């Protein structure tokens, strides 16, 4: 079935581009902080002007992990919705309200961190205390994103009313799943910020229940990583097939994978808290089992991607077991960047399974292995796919073209990123296995045999970090070219279509009451009893700590 | 033109007839990699 795609008006393009400007400004600021961190941790450099290491660490995490990702995702998803189900003037107005609310919140939080009043890292664990403006800023970012959530829901609802009996466009379905997951998950962190952190940081509450705040954070924190990943999956399922000249592998498989990701992304936060005292091991075990369920949709995705490539190659007549790989458009950056992202997800995902396994978590918990892990997943898989999307989305929105020269620069950027990250992330993984800690500033810990094994890896991380920063500068250059200087023209918005003889998609896959009902049931099952335990049996709450880091 | 289309339809196999052996092997190799990393880390855990 052919669905009609909508053309963007200038007003719409301006909205989607506004999200992109914030995304790439964040990349530059956050990336610079990352460079400074790796240099400082090499032990060869000292931060200038007495800048606190934990200030730049917090800026890096908040600006890249929360701001860049959220702005790109919300902007990209608005563009997908606008293209597949359309946007009304009223919805556009709400989308702008979402943008400005998020931006004001971001600026509030960022300024508070930069003036040294919120050295609490992006996880803002209690009892480290930040200035209240930091928490108010975060709350505004979340509220802004909720406005985007309900605007997207409304867009799909209006389209369904106008097209009764038709299944929703695949990309609109995927956006709705991601936003449903984001809304349900962010209720946890919003509760923690509004009920626990803000009164405590203002001095209205003397103490805070640390375990409860961390549990609410990770109730949100794990689905957060899927919130980053699902837009990349949207691209892999529904955009990359078009770029390689193929068709959707299976509409039903894609929808089922997204539903499974919705079900199993939230009731799993305890696998981040496996070393946490105060949580019954039985509930940790149950949540680890639920975590492992996510492997199913992940492998379905891998199968679908390989299948898309093979079907396309076979249709073009390529023979042999892996002959179809030769057909892929290796010199097209819109394909190459996301492809390397897919490859990085193989060690990234496998490492994640190690992290979530209770015993082996003890091996790597709080070591820099974990930092290496999420630099493979979010900072390679996710970000290279986002870059891959930006190469066509930005010129599509600005009425320009991705020229062969910019395409070539993009390929160079992708290679620089891959080399830099391979060096940095591998060094982090190995140092982690040798016990090297994450989060902390440079220290020789007063000497010691084990500590001496770490330093060469920290220098390797500085080399990798420097290469990555060169990649960031190049990416910013390409973005500016695509936004303002590339030749005028028409750049395709690639959306894959179904095969003409595709099997119809079962209607049950779009039964929102059913899937959201199961999601809520699983959350209630996994969290109700342990949270009651935590509230009833926690030790006395903690007073705020502003030292050694904090404010 | 009509003939050309007909010819194309004849030569383009239906999706269900296409061999997905490469996909099957790839996914299996992926599974082997996951298991190797998991058991490798587990061995390290046991040895400590």
């Amino acid at each position: 079935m052919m669905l009609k795609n909508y053309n963007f008006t200038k007003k719409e393009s301006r909205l989607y581009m506004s999200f992109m400007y914030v995304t790439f400004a964040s990349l530059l600021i956050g990336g610079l902080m990352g460079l400074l961190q790796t240099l400082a941790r090499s032990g060869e450099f000292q931060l200038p002007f007495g800048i606190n290491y934990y200030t730049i660490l917090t800026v890096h995490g908040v600006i890249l992990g929360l701001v860049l990702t959220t702005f790109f995702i919300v902007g990209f998803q608005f563009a997908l919705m606008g293209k597949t189900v359309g946007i009304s003037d009223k919805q556009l107005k709400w989308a702008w309200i979402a943008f400005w609310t998020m931006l004001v919140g971001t600026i509030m939080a960022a300024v508070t961190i930069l003036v040294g009043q919120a050295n609490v890292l992006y996880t803002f664990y209690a009892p480290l205390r930040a200035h209240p403006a930091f928490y108010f800023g975060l709350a505004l970012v979340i509220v802004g994103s909720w406005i985007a959530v309900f605007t997207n829901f409304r867009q799909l609802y209006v389209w369904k009313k106008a097209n009764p009996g038709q299944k929703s466009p695949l990309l609109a379905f995927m956006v709705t799943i991601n936003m449903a997951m984001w809304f349900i998950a962010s209720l946890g962190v919003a509760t923690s910020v509004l009920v626990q952190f803000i009164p405590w940081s203002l001095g209205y509450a003397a103490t805070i229940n640390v375990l409860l705040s961390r549990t609410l954070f990770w109730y949100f924190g794990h689905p957060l990583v899927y919130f980053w990943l699902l837009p990349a999956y949207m691209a892999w399922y529904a955009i990359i097939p078009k770029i390689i000249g193929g068709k959707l592998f299976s509409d039903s498989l894609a929808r089922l994978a997204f539903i499974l990701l919705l079900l199993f992304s939230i009731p799993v936060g305890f696998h981040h808290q496996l070393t946490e005292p105060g949580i019954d091991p039985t509930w940790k075990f149950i949540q680890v089992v639920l975590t492992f369920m996510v492997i199913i949709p992940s492998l379905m995705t891998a199968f679908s991607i390989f299948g898309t490539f093979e079907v396309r190659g076979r249709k073009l007549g390529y023979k042999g077991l892996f002959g179809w790989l030769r057909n892929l458009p290796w010199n097209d950056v819109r394909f190459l960047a996301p492809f390397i992202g897919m490859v990085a997800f193989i060690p990234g995902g496998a490492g994640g399974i190690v992290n979530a396994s209770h015993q082996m978590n003890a091996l790597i918990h709080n070591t820099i292995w974990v930092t290496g892990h999420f630099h493979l997943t979010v900072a390679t898989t996710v970000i290279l796919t986002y870059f891959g999307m930006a190469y066509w989305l930005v010129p599509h929105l600005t009425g320009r073209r991705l020229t062969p020269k910019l395409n070539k620069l993009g390929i160079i950027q992708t290679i620089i990123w891959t080399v830099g990250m391979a060096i940095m992330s591998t060094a982090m993984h190995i140092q982690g296995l040798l016990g090297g800690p994450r989060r902390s500033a440079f220290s020789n810990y007063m000497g010691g045999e084990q500590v001496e094994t770490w330093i060469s890896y920290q220098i390797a991380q500085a080399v990798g970090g420097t290469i990555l920063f060169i990649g960031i500068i190049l990416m910013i250059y390409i973005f500016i070219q695509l936004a303002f200087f590339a030749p005028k023209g028409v750049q395709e918005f690639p959306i894959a279509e179904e095969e003409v003889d595709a099997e119809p998609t079962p209607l049950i896959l779009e039964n929102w009451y059913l899937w959201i009902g199961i999601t809520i049931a699983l959350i209630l099952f996994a969290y109700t009893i342990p949270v009651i335990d935590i509230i009833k049996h926690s030790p006395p709450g903690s007073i705020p700590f502003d030292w050694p880091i904090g404010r | 033109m009509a003939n050309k289309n007909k010819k194309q339809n004849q030569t383009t196999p239906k999706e269900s007839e296409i061999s997905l052996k490469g996909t099957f092997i790839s996914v299996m190799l992926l599974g082997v990699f996951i298991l190797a990393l998991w058991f490798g880390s587990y061995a390290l855990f046991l040895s400590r």
Side-chain angles (χ1 to χ4, degrees), chain A residues 310 322 346 357 360 433 499, chain B residues 15 19 22-23 30 38 48:
Chain A
E310 185 165 11
F322 293 108
I346 298 173
S357 304
M360 283 181 288
L433 288 178
E499 297 277 359
Chain B
E15 194 185 342
S19 155
T23 302
L30 187 61
W38 196 91
R48 288 182 181 175

Side-chain angles (χ1 to χ4, degrees), chain A residues 376-391:
Chain A
L376 267 188
T377 50
V378 66
T380 311
T381 299
V382 168
I383 208 78
L384 278 182
T385 306
Y386 289 1
F387 289 170
M389 299 304 103
Y391 289 122

Side-chain angles (χ1 to χ4, degrees), chain A residues 42-346:
Chain A
S42 74
E44 302 289 326
F45 299 92
Q46 282 207 327
L47 290 172
F49 317 118
I51 298 172
N52 185 330
Y53 177 82
Y54 296 99
T55 301
I56 59 167
L57 179 58
T58 308
V59 176
H60 180 73
V62 170
I63 291 289
L64 294 184
L66 300 178
V67 177
L68 177 149
T69 48
T70 310
F71 273 84
F72 181 86
I73 293 165
V74 173
F76 178 57
Q77 293 188 157
F78 265 127
L80 295 178
M81 293 300 274
K83 189 53 85 178
T84 56
V85 295
I87 187 165
S88 69
D89 283 346
K90 201 172 162 195
Q91 290 158 0
L92 195 65
K93 204 173 91 188
W94 278 106
W96 275 113
I97 294 172
F99 172 80
W100 284 110
T101 311
M102 285 168 63
L103 189 63
V104 169
T106 297
I107 293 170
M108 262 176 87
V111 170
T112 317
I113 302 167
L114 286 170
V115 297
Q117 290 294 308
N119 296 330
V120 290
L121 319 193
Y122 96 103
T123 43
F124 57 94
Y125 278 167
L128 300 178
R129 178 174 63 170
H131 189 280
F134 173 77
Y135 304 113
F136 279 115
L138 287 186
L140 277 180
V141 174
I142 292 169
V143 170
S145 74
W146 286 351
I147 298 171
V149 167
F150 286 99
T151 309
N152 287 156
F153 289 173
R154 177 80 192 160
Q155 284 174 276
L156 182 61
Y157 176 80
V158 170
W159 185 91
K160 293 285 275 186
K161 282 272 170 210
N163 298 274
Q166 281 202 48
K167 71 175 175 189
S168 56
L170 178 60
L171 282 164
F173 173 87
M174 291 168 155
V175 169
T176 308
I177 289 265
N178 201 26
M179 284 311 220
M181 183 181 76
W182 172 254
F183 179 70
I184 296 170
S186 54
L187 284 172
V189 75
T191 306
S192 172
V193 166
L194 292 177
V195 177
Q196 294 192 286
F197 280 97
I198 288 180
W200 176 71
S201 69
L202 286 168
Y204 297 143
T207 62
I208 190 166
N209 183 332
V210 173
L211 181 54
L212 181 63
S213 74
R214 287 160 66 108
T215 303
L216 287 170
F217 180 85
W218 286 115
Y219 164 85
F220 155 81
H222 193 72
L224 170 69
V225 307
Y226 280 91
F227 179 64
W228 298 334
L229 186 63
L230 288 198
Y233 275 21
M234 291 172 202
W236 298 356
Y237 273 111
I239 288 169
I240 295 294
K242 176 77 174 178
I243 290 174
I244 66 166
K247 301 273 185 186
L248 274 186
F249 182 73
S250 162
D251 182 90
S252 308
L253 182 147
R255 285 178 204 245
L256 181 61
F258 267 65
I259 289 168
L260 293 174
L261 286 162
L262 169 69
L263 300 185
F264 298 113
S265 292
I266 309 175
V268 296
F270 284 172
H271 75 242
H272 291 261
Q273 296 177 280
L274 289 172
T275 60
E276 190 103 64
I279 299 173
D280 188 324
T282 309
W283 290 104
K284 288 181 183 169
F285 172 75
I286 289 170
Q287 292 210 9
V288 163
V289 172
L290 289 169
T291 305
F292 276 43
M293 296 295 284
V294 182
I295 300 168
I296 297 170
S298 305
L299 287 178
M300 282 165 69
T301 304
F303 174 76
S304 171
I305 291 167
F306 286 126
T308 308
F309 295 165
E310 185 165 11
V311 168
R312 176 67 184 150
R314 299 267 179 242
K315 278 188 179 170
L316 291 174
Y318 286 89
K319 306 277 182 217
L321 199 55
F322 293 108
W324 41 277
L325 280 171
R326 270 179 293 157
N327 153 61
L328 297 172
W330 300 109
N331 52 4
D332 183 345
V333 71
R334 299 173 307 156
F335 168 77
L336 183 71
F339 179 84
I340 292 179
M342 295 169 188
V343 174
F345 203 51
I346 298 173

Side-chain angles (χ1 to χ4, degrees), chain A residues 347-507:
Chain A
I353 300 173
V354 170
N355 300 346
S357 304
H358 199 151
Q359 291 87 341
M360 283 181 288
N361 186 269
L363 196 70
I364 51 86
H365 200 95
N366 275 344
T367 72
I368 201 160
W369 157 290
V370 179
T371 318
H373 165 72
F374 64 70
H375 278 83
L376 267 188
T377 50
V378 66
T380 311
T381 299
V382 168
I383 208 78
L384 278 182
T385 306
Y386 289 1
F387 289 170
M389 299 304 103
Y391 289 122
W392 55 260
L393 181 62
V394 173
H396 181 87
L397 295 174
T398 54
R400 296 176 191 277
R401 277 187 300 115
L402 174 66
T403 59
K405 190 181 151 216
L406 287 173
N407 180 65
K408 200 170 173 190
L409 276 181
I411 288 175
I412 295 170
Q413 199 283 337
T414 308
I415 293 167
I416 291 175
W417 196 273
T418 309
V419 171
M421 196 57 86
I423 295 172
M424 191 177 85
S425 176
T426 307
M428 286 173 165
H429 276 90
I430 299 173
Q431 193 195 344
L433 288 178
L434 296 170
R438 65 185 282 209
R439 295 196 183 99
S440 49
F442 177 78
S443 168
N444 58 16
Y445 301 91
M446 294 192 287
E449 233 175 85
Q450 193 178 3
V451 178
E452 279 165 20
T453 62
W454 298 339
I455 189 67
S456 55
Y457 295 104
Q458 288 176 198
I459 291 170
Q461 287 156 34
V463 172
T466 308
I467 296 171
L468 281 165
F469 190 68
I470 295 168
I472 286 175
I473 300 286
L474 186 53
M475 191 64 220
I476 299 289
Y477 173 77
I478 297 169
F479 173 75
I480 292 172
Q481 287 291 320
L482 290 173
F484 304 107
F485 301 112
K488 290 275 181 191
V490 177
Q491 180 72 42
E492 180 197 23
F493 193 118
I495 298 182
E497 288 158 10
E498 282 188 85
E499 297 277 359
V500 277
D501 59 344
E503 295 282 331
T505 304
L507 279 176

